[in-house]
Amino acid sequence: MLEPLIPCGKCYPCSIGRSNCCSNMKTVGVTTNGALSELFSVPAGCLHKIPHSLPMHLAALSEPFSIGFHATARGSVCAADQVVIIGAGTIGLTILAAAKQKGARVLINDILDFRLDIARRIGADKVVDSKKDDLKEIVKDWTNGLGASVVIEAVGAPQIIESTIDLVADAGRVVIVGVTSKKFAIRGVDVTKKELTIIGSRNNLGKFNEALTFVSAHPEIAEALITNTYNFDATVEAFQFANEHPEATCKVMITV
């Protein structure tokens, strides 16, 4: 199994053991071409052995699950936490699985019913469709007025990031996983008064084997994320479908 991150090993983040934040990161198939070639080379350290019992199509999901496990580690999620996850896409769902693995109670929010159905199947304690319900009020009720100890944003929209401040408890943690190039605004007094910890989460740091072990132990959870499967000769069609129908896809699998 390929971990597609190739850090430089020389920059400041690499020098302090934070290679997932490498300033010169190369990502196979993103910043380098060739991930759909018949053959391509990567450093040996990027490879992880797949257990014989794990089907390859499930092993492929280790990468997104590693992001979920890293996000929960960044938020120091534990069994004592009530966690709110905003966004039930692939990454939000892997964060849900990782948080449940750590024993936390988890509420997850989205606007797509089929993604919330997947969240229910893989163990969410509560799901919220914010098209129909007031997320802030539901979180307030669910936490007995305290707010969530951890809120994890997995959408990448400025207004959604801003909304986390109203959902998190005093002395709580906010983890931002979603990516946006736009600015967002948070009142300084809210950060200070609540003494919040606001954390970014990028890629994964040493979580790949943990994710691989999880997928091996819980294949039914990994399987639930695969909503569409295409043969290799329909790769272009697979990408087009995923791009044009986000409302009907979670993880699109290409069978080689």
Side-chain angles (χ1 to χ4, degrees):
M1 178 62 202
L2 169 67
E3 184 170 6
L5 308 176
I6 306 176
C8 73
K10 300 176 181 178
C11 65
Y12 172 68
C14 286
S15 74
I16 61 169
R18 299 279 294 280
S19 58
N20 63 307
C21 302
C22 174
S23 302
N24 307 301
M25 180 75 77
K26 293 181 181 179
T27 305
V28 177
V30 180
T31 60
T32 66
N33 291 327
L36 289 173
S37 301
E38 289 186 63
L39 298 171
F40 60 95
S41 62
V42 295
C46 295
L47 302 177
H48 299 263
K49 189 173 183 179
I50 300 172
H52 288 296
S53 61
L54 183 62
M56 291 184 71
H57 73 289
L58 298 184
L61 292 175
S62 301
E63 193 275 336
F65 273 96
S66 73
I67 295 174
F69 275 94
H70 182 68
T72 55
R74 291 288 287 161
S76 300
V77 173
C78 67
D81 284 316
Q82 284 188 270
V83 179
V84 168
I85 301 168
I86 306 178
T90 299
I91 300 305
L93 291 169
T94 65
I95 295 169
L96 162 63
K100 290 302 298 179
Q101 177 77 351
K102 296 175 185 295
R105 294 181 62 212
V106 183
L107 178 154
I108 191 165
N109 158 250
D110 205 281
I111 59 173
L112 297 177
D113 289 338
F114 96 99
R115 290 184 176 179
L116 293 175
D117 286 340
I118 296 172
R120 289 187 188 95
R121 297 207 308 271
I122 67 173
D125 296 286
K126 192 170 185 66
V127 301
V128 178
D129 183 344
S130 53
K131 296 196 313 297
K132 303 174 183 177
D133 298 302
D134 187 326
L135 177 61
K136 182 179 177 181
E137 287 302 313
I138 290 175
V139 170
K140 183 178 179 180
D141 180 66
W142 186 62
T143 60
N144 296 317
L146 298 175
S149 53
V150 184
V151 177
I152 304 179
E153 197 277 349
V155 176
Q159 68 271 24
I160 301 297
I161 296 172
E162 293 166 359
S163 74
T164 61
I165 307 304
D166 293 327
L167 305 176
V168 69
D170 293 351
R173 291 99 72 197
V174 175
V175 182
I176 302 172
V177 183
V179 177
T180 178
S181 60
K182 298 178 180 179
K183 295 181 179 180
F184 55 88
I186 295 173
R187 293 195 319 164
V189 66
D190 294 330
V191 177
T192 305
K193 188 176 179 181
K194 285 189 170 185
E195 200 177 54
L196 297 179
T197 300
I198 300 177
I199 308 160
S201 181
R202 181 184 178 189
N203 301 322
N204 88 93
L205 181 62
K207 300 298 179 185
F208 211 87
N209 281 325
E210 183 177 358
L212 191 55
T213 299
F214 178 84
V215 171
S216 298
H218 303 281
E220 74 286 353
I221 292 178
E223 192 84 57
L225 271 58
I226 301 173
T227 52
N228 311 82
T229 301
Y230 289 79
N231 291 327
F232 184 74
D233 58 5
T235 293
V236 173
E237 181 184 347
F239 274 92
Q240 289 175 338
F241 186 84
N243 187 51
E244 295 169 4
H245 298 282
E247 80 290 345
T249 58
C250 184
K251 205 62 178 169
V252 177
M253 182 64 59
I254 296 171
T255 302
V256 178

